[in-house]
Amino acid sequence: MMETTLVIFKPSAVARGLVGQVLNRFERKGLTITAMKMMRLDESILREHYAHLVEKPFFPLILRSMTATPVICLALKGNDAIRVVRSMTGATNGRNAEPGTIRGDFSMSGQENIIHASSSPEDAAAELKRFFRPEEIEDWTPQNLDFIYSPDETD
Ligand code: ADP
């Protein structure tokens, strides 16, 4: 099913100059960029986004890390995009992530782990709304879609 997922290039990607290399992986895979913007996150949006971690002892480190530089938010569209992007992302801790994944190739850390990627359709819908206004997401289709998918794989 065609889906849109949310990716955030964290300060670990922005500060280390890895945005281009990571973005290139999504483009060459065949995902479509439908939105992209740089922004600064504040405590209130991070408390919402990481609500499941607010009580953890390392939450102050998340706040510090995610506000260190601007981040870049991205909407990516594709068949099964949510699962595909998560599998390209790899395990949370870069030291445990498989080589070949983004975290496995670019990160040595559980916190400084390069990108965030939505983990379920419910999360993706809520996160896209959290970081983008509806009109900021372009619902366009690349002309070469026939060479990315077979006709029975697009809807
Ligand atoms: P994921 O980013 O893989 O979806 P989680 O939702 O569990 O993982 O965690 C969100 C983010 O919080 C992680 O990407 C990481 O930046 C940070 N984090 C999670 N667990 C830890 C931990 N044990 N120590 C430090 N930071 C963590």
Side-chain angles (χ1 to χ4, degrees):
M1 195 181 54
M2 281 303 201
E3 295 175 337
T4 300
T5 191
L6 178 94
V7 167
I8 303 174
F9 287 91
K10 296 184 176 186
S12 46
V14 174
R16 289 175 57 201
L18 299 174
V19 172
Q21 288 184 67
V22 176
L23 188 59
N24 178 252
R25 291 183 176 218
F26 294 131
E27 288 190 296
R28 74 188 188 191
K29 177 72 171 166
L31 290 152
T32 304
I33 299 169
T34 56
M36 191 160 161
K37 75 172 165 188
M38 181 171 256
M39 61 194 287
R40 285 224 180 236
L41 303 183
D42 62 16
E43 177 165 349
S44 111
I45 201 166
L46 286 165
R47 282 183 165 273
E48 213 181 290
H49 185 62
Y50 288 127
H52 59 298
L53 299 174
V54 166
E55 301 303 327
K56 300 278 188 197
F58 55 82
F59 189 71
L61 289 177
I62 295 186
L63 283 182
R64 181 171 178 264
S65 165
M66 294 295 290
T67 56
T69 72
V71 300
I72 297 170
C73 298
L74 203 66
L76 289 174
K77 185 172 73 168
N79 192 336
D80 293 333
I82 298 163
R83 181 177 56 75
V84 168
V85 171
R86 277 295 285 197
S87 74
M88 292 173 74
T89 301
T92 302
N93 188 318
R95 296 196 299 283
N96 302 331
E98 290 286 321
T101 64
I102 290 161
R103 289 168 172 170
D105 287 353
F106 294 110
S107 168
M108 283 292 282
S109 166
Q111 172 57 60
E112 302 303 324
N113 59 4
I114 315 299
I115 63 166
H116 165 82
S118 305
S119 55
S120 67
E122 297 70 35
D123 283 354
E127 291 174 0
L128 288 163
K129 250 167 89 176
R130 182 170 302 135
F131 293 99
F132 289 108
R133 294 190 302 274
E135 66 272 20
E136 289 179 317
I137 302 180
E138 289 285 344
D139 194 13
W140 72 289
T141 299
Q143 271 191 336
N144 60 356
L145 207 68
D146 286 354
F147 299 94
I148 298 173
Y149 297 108
S150 136
D152 63 352
E153 293 173 314
T154 51
D155 50 42

